[in-house]
Amino acid sequence: MPVLSRQRLTASIKKLAVACGASGDEAQIFADCHVHADLRGHQTQGLQIVNIVYEFLVNGTERFGVDTPVIIDKPGFAVIDGNYGVGCIVATRAMDHAIRKAGDSGIACVWVRRGGVFSMASNYTLRALEHDMVGIATENGIPFVAPWGGRDPLFSTNPFSFAVPSGEEIPIVIDMSAGSFSAGKVMAAKSAGEKMPSSHLVDGYGNYTDDPSLIEMQFDHQLNLGALVAHGTRGFGWNIFVEILAGLLSGMEASCNSIVEAEEGNITINHGQFFMAINIEQLMPVDVFKQKVDEFIRSVKANPPAKGFDTVRLPGENAAKTEQRYLKDGIPVLDKDWEDFLSICSTHGLTI
Amino acid sequence: MPVLSRQRLTASIKKLAVACGASGDEAQIFADCHVHADLRGHQTQGLQIVNIVYEFLVNGTERFGVDTPVIIDKPGFAVIDGNYGVGCIVATRAMDHAIRKAGDSGIACVWVRRGGVFSMASNYTLRALEHDMVGIATENGIPFVAPWGGRDPLFSTNPFSFAVPSGEEIPIVIDMSAGSFSAGKVMAAKSAGEKMPSSHLVDGYGNYTDDPSLIEMQFDHQLNLGALVAHGTRGFGWNIFVEILAGLLSGMEASCNSIVEAEEGNITINHGQFFMAINIEQLMPVDVFKQKVDEFIRSVKANPPAKGFDTVRLPGENAAKTEQRYLKDGIPVLDKDWEDFLSICSTHGLTI
């Protein structure tokens, strides 16, 4: 497994982005977002997604260099037309717009129409932390998840991030799919010939299974090829929450209607995104809030473990520790992801 | 099991509320909220909660007739001091304030400090539907739920509601606890000597169990008496989301710190609530949105059932059908709840 320094991985991804038409700024954001995912141990949202986005760029599903106009702009909310731009670039602009607005208005929501796949959701919520704000980021998209009680894919994995500034403790950073698993984890287990930790998959005949080899992760949700399953009625509720909040309220489509065949057999993803920033200082002194968050974190961590656990871990704790370790020791990337990346780069005559 | 008409149950609860010091308006809201819960089949949030709130009224934990000043009031958000008023009354005022503000600002968040237990969360989100808005309502409170991997109660069941206007279809109304079960369902199963459908309980020794008889549902979370368990890492994330959003951002406490002994051994609950209204017409034509929601609902319902299911049901579908049936046939209430209620009424010399 290759191990790369942050600097080298960033520079390599930037080179490819520029070769694909990105401006210097765009290339920096594109590289930072994906390297940050790998740094935080979200391996399915880092270099692996770069290779997938590359296919989108080749097919015209996503594009560098597009305008992303703010088409509705009110003090407390806005709607941005992502113009099928590269997901992480549009999403970064949207979150920064929410943060700017919340600086004045206290809270701000920004919806994105026609954005791209935004990879690691916490890339955006972590930006809010730098401004002592709470951040929310979520999107719908490619349908992989069946509703509770259903058989065929209908919802995206509906990634959801919620980040909360802390004082001395590691900030709380929720970053998870509303589905039982992320699509990347299922694909990774399938490639490795492994089973999932629970039977939250359903095959094409409606049988629950933990075997990802029975699932075809295709973009065309009409095919009867199995799916991930919502995590019970609670997970189902969350999937619907995200589908409405990010998908329909943005003015775009539910995941089940978001994929359309564009010209030449390529796809367009008409999904939506939702970002929110809550400016703590308009609610209470930031120090008071951070101290309360610290106390909350300590209370959670002091909870005696249940049988089978050694400790209670807060969301974001492992990711922050992984980031510190990888910054020092380098970032391990999967052989296949690195080989695919090098192969893509070589088609552009790039030396990495 | 007594079966009561909506009118009779409403009039009976109003009588008790007035006897406890409620104004006519307060009594109406109090009765409507709890009867609505029983009407929609949320039996643990209706008459059952009236009897619990009565204890709170006697002990001074909640009070009728208090001022609930808006202590921060900006175009897009507000904070209301509930002044330890009766939960459903403070919450109704807070949601209505959010709806008014969203009428101008497009979106509005309202936090409540020092509110009471608000019973059925969808009481408030359903109010948003009447204004063609999307509604969100959630609160933290009495700690009953252990974190994922932990043993002792730390979070409240963190009820969460999200309601979405539809056109011809039944509106989507999510109303569920972020914990694996509601506290009421666990208490009901315990009383009936039944097991829970999954092992999302943990006994005082850290063993997972489906046996509610091993759990003491006490208000003092320090006692080592078992707990509900967060529904895996996803449920844990949701619990934290609500604890921060409703509890800490309101300026109140996490559930684990929310219960304080007041004078004379009674408790004060320093929890928080969060309400949000999203005014659809500022994002897109309401008819367009409702048509999309209808299409989404039909797509979900058309999903072929997995083995063991006969159909896919949307959140709010059963509740709406139950409401129609109970409006016609009367509302069944549990013998014990009705006897307790009559006994309370008789102490006030009320004839029901």
Side-chain angles (χ1 to χ4, degrees):
Chain A
M1 191 183 289
V3 176
L4 298 126
S5 73
R6 177 193 193 171
Q7 290 72 13
R8 186 172 171 216
L9 189 56
T10 304
S12 305
I13 295 174
K14 271 180 77 173
K15 259 192 185 175
L16 177 63
V18 169
C20 293
S23 69
D25 277 357
E26 287 183 318
Q28 187 70 50
I29 293 171
F30 185 76
D32 284 347
C33 285
H34 294 97
V35 172
H36 206 189
D38 273 326
L39 268 174
R40 289 177 68 85
H42 290 258
Q43 203 166 40
T44 59
Q45 302 296 325
L47 185 65
Q48 206 167 102
I49 292 279
V50 170
N51 296 335
I52 292 172
V53 172
Y54 177 76
E55 296 298 324
F56 286 159
L57 289 164
V58 170
N59 296 341
T61 300
E62 296 188 14
R63 303 174 295 166
F64 283 114
V66 299
D67 283 335
T68 54
V70 182
I71 54 179
I72 302 178
D73 206 16
K74 300 287 176 70
F77 74 99
V79 178
I80 289 179
D81 181 356
N83 211 355
Y84 301 122
V86 169
C88 65
I89 292 165
V90 181
T92 298
R93 289 179 190 163
M95 189 75 212
D96 287 352
H97 197 59
I99 290 167
R100 268 193 306 273
K101 296 179 95 61
D104 295 327
S105 303
I107 62 164
C109 301
V110 174
W111 281 273
V112 168
R113 299 179 185 167
R114 309 198 305 163
V117 173
F118 69 23
S119 82
M120 182 176 76
S122 51
N123 270 314
Y124 316 106
T125 57
L126 285 164
R127 297 178 85 83
L129 297 194
E130 296 165 22
H131 303 267
D132 286 337
M133 296 187 189
V134 168
I136 297 175
T138 189
E139 69 174 354
N140 72 340
I142 301 163
F144 287 133
V145 179
W148 182 242
R151 190 194 70 185
D152 288 347
L154 201 61
F155 308 132
S156 89
T157 49
N158 298 134
F160 182 88
S161 181
F162 178 67
V164 184
S166 57
E168 296 168 3
E169 302 295 328
I170 295 171
I172 295 169
V173 183
I174 294 172
D175 184 330
M176 57 195 194
S177 73
S180 300
F181 316 112
S182 72
K185 290 252 165 81
V186 177
M187 289 195 236
K190 186 174 176 174
S191 299
E194 291 169 358
K195 298 285 170 72
M196 301 308 295
S198 67
S199 293
H200 284 99
L201 303 174
V202 59
D203 71 14
Y205 305 96
N207 301 298
Y208 288 117
T209 177
D210 62 358
D211 183 358
S213 76
L214 301 176
I215 311 300
E216 291 297 327
M217 307 280 285
Q218 305 254 348
F219 286 173
D220 184 345
H221 72 287
Q222 302 299 339
L223 296 174
N224 180 7
L225 294 169
L228 284 72
V229 175
H231 202 153
T233 52
R234 267 59 172 156
F236 182 33
W238 203 342
N239 279 119
I240 290 173
F241 175 59
V242 175
E243 288 289 337
I244 301 288
L245 185 65
L248 297 197
L249 281 171
S250 70
M252 299 304 287
E253 303 295 338
S255 295
C256 57
N257 298 317
S258 74
I259 309 282
V260 290
E261 293 280 322
E263 284 172 43
E264 299 156 40
N266 297 319
I267 60 162
T268 297
I269 311 177
N270 285 315
H271 61 150
Q273 293 164 343
F274 174 81
F275 303 89
M276 185 171 181
I278 301 171
N279 185 1
I280 294 157
E281 72 173 6
Q282 292 205 19
L283 287 164
M284 72 195 82
V286 170
D287 287 350
V288 170
F289 180 78
K290 287 185 172 177
Q291 196 183 327
K292 283 196 178 191
V293 172
D294 278 353
E295 282 166 16
F296 175 68
I297 291 170
R298 288 170 195 146
S299 297
V300 176
K301 291 197 65 66
N303 202 273
K307 293 278 161 64
F309 293 85
D310 58 350
T311 186
V312 178
R313 278 184 190 81
L314 270 293
E317 186 182 334
N318 278 352
K321 289 176 179 167
T322 301
E323 183 167 359
Q324 289 310 310
R325 200 166 70 244
Y326 287 179
L327 279 173
K328 195 160 63 73
D329 302 338
I331 305 167
V333 296
L334 295 177
D335 290 323
K336 181 175 183 320
D337 294 339
W338 186 239
E339 285 158 19
D340 287 351
F341 178 72
L342 291 181
S343 154
I344 288 167
C345 289
S346 73
T347 66
H348 289 273
L350 301 173
T351 313
I352 300 296
Chain B
M1 191 184 286
V3 176
L4 298 127
S5 73
R6 177 194 193 171
Q7 290 73 13
R8 185 171 171 215
L9 189 56
T10 304
S12 305
I13 295 174
K14 270 179 78 172
K15 259 192 184 176
L16 177 63
V18 169
C20 292
S23 69
D25 278 357
E26 287 182 317
Q28 188 70 50
I29 294 171
F30 185 75
D32 284 347
C33 285
H34 293 97
V35 172
H36 205 188
D38 273 326
L39 269 175
R40 289 177 69 85
H42 290 259
Q43 202 166 40
T44 59
Q45 303 296 324
L47 185 65
Q48 207 167 103
I49 292 278
V50 170
N51 295 335
I52 292 172
V53 172
Y54 177 76
E55 295 299 322
F56 286 160
L57 289 164
V58 170
N59 295 340
T61 300
E62 296 188 14
R63 302 175 295 167
F64 283 115
V66 299
D67 284 334
T68 53
V70 182
I71 53 178
I72 302 178
D73 206 16
K74 300 287 176 70
F77 74 98
V79 179
I80 289 178
D81 181 357
N83 211 356
Y84 301 123
V86 170
C88 64
I89 292 166
V90 181
T92 298
R93 289 179 190 163
M95 189 74 212
D96 287 352
H97 196 60
I99 290 167
R100 269 192 306 274
K101 297 179 93 62
D104 295 327
S105 303
I107 62 164
C109 301
V110 174
W111 281 272
V112 168
R113 299 180 186 167
R114 309 198 304 164
V117 173
F118 69 23
S119 83
M120 182 176 75
S122 51
N123 270 314
Y124 316 106
T125 57
L126 285 164
R127 298 178 85 81
L129 296 194
E130 296 165 22
H131 302 266
D132 286 337
M133 297 188 189
V134 168
I136 297 176
T138 189
E139 69 173 354
N140 71 341
I142 301 163
F144 288 132
V145 180
W148 182 242
R151 190 193 71 186
D152 287 348
L154 201 62
F155 308 132
S156 89
T157 49
N158 297 133
F160 182 88
S161 181
F162 178 67
V164 185
S166 56
E168 296 168 1
E169 302 296 328
I170 295 171
I172 295 170
V173 183
I174 294 171
D175 184 330
M176 57 194 195
S177 73
S180 299
F181 316 112
S182 72
K185 289 252 165 81
V186 177
M187 288 194 235
K190 186 174 176 174
S191 299
E194 291 168 358
K195 298 284 170 72
M196 301 307 295
S198 68
S199 293
H200 284 99
L201 303 174
V202 60
D203 71 14
Y205 305 96
N207 301 298
Y208 288 118
T209 176
D210 62 357
D211 183 357
S213 76
L214 300 176
I215 311 300
E216 291 297 328
M217 308 280 286
Q218 305 256 348
F219 287 173
D220 184 345
H221 73 287
Q222 301 299 339
L223 296 174
N224 181 7
L225 294 170
L228 284 72
V229 176
H231 202 152
T233 53
R234 266 60 171 156
F236 182 33
W238 203 343
N239 279 119
I240 290 173
F241 174 59
V242 175
E243 288 289 336
I244 302 288
L245 185 65
L248 297 196
L249 281 171
S250 70
M252 299 304 287
E253 303 295 337
S255 295
C256 57
N257 298 317
S258 74
I259 310 282
V260 290
E261 293 281 322
E263 284 171 42
E264 300 157 39
N266 296 320
I267 60 162
T268 297
I269 311 177
N270 285 315
H271 61 151
Q273 293 164 344
F274 174 82
F275 303 88
M276 185 170 181
I278 301 171
N279 186 1
I280 294 156
E281 71 173 6
Q282 291 205 19
L283 287 164
M284 72 195 82
V286 170
D287 288 349
V288 170
F289 180 78
K290 286 185 173 178
Q291 196 182 327
K292 283 195 178 191
V293 171
D294 278 354
E295 283 166 16
F296 175 67
I297 291 170
R298 289 171 194 145
S299 297
V300 175
K301 291 198 65 68
N303 203 273
K307 292 279 161 64
F309 293 85
D310 58 350
T311 186
V312 178
R313 278 184 191 82
L314 270 293
E317 186 181 333
N318 279 351
K321 289 176 180 168
T322 300
E323 183 167 359
Q324 289 311 310
R325 201 166 69 244
Y326 287 180
L327 279 173
K328 195 160 62 75
D329 301 338
I331 306 168
V333 296
L334 295 178
D335 290 323
K336 182 176 184 316
D337 294 340
W338 185 239
E339 286 158 18
D340 287 351
F341 178 73
L342 291 181
S343 154
I344 288 167
C345 288
S346 73
T347 66
H348 288 273
L350 301 174
T351 313
I352 299 297

